[in-house]
Amino acid sequence: MAAGLAVTAAALLVTGAGPGETGRVKGHPVADPVPGRPTAAGTVTAPVRIADGATVRLLRPGDRVDVIAAEESATGAGAARIVARGARVSKVPAADATESGALVVLTVPRRTAARLAGAGATSRLAVTLW
């Protein structure tokens, strides 16, 4: 499920698709900017699944977090790396008891969102509060 979420998030980042889109095919974002949308240098909202759902319950909109990816390996815990620094928590959706971990929506620069999507597909994600 995490891989599917990461692929969907990456696809949305690449296409710029979102609620209320008209279905019109867009050109390059620099050549054909979408009115009211952030530019490539702007920020986007990124859904991120954090491995420990109890940690997510500590978060509130407006909090700042670092997101850490711990790669899963056959021998146990792998190397940990920071994939996002100072990300702003936008929303903390209600947790679903049937899912592992918990979802949090972060506001981050576009490039950071792509890193988060990739890390979410291959690693367990954790957050540290500022």
Side-chain angles (χ1 to χ4, degrees), residues 12-118:
L12 289 174
L13 285 172
V14 170
T15 63
E21 290 292 331
T22 62
R24 165 174 103 76
V25 176
K26 297 181 188 82
H28 189 276
V30 173
D32 189 13
V34 179
R37 288 287 184 128
T39 62
T43 58
V44 297
T45 54
V48 179
R49 182 155 308 276
I50 303 302
D52 182 5
T55 301
V56 172
R57 289 194 299 268
L58 299 173
L59 302 177
R60 301 289 176 260
D63 287 348
R64 293 283 181 168
V65 297
D66 288 345
V67 180
I68 301 166
E71 294 180 16
E72 297 178 20
S73 69
T75 60
R81 61 186 163 75
I82 297 174
V83 291
R85 291 184 190 275
R88 187 175 57 82
V89 175
S90 300
K91 186 175 182 181
V92 183
D96 183 352
T98 63
E99 295 178 358
S100 63
L103 190 67
V104 63
V105 180
L106 303 174
T107 300
V108 294
R110 186 174 294 273
R111 288 184 183 178
T112 301
R115 283 196 309 268
L116 285 168

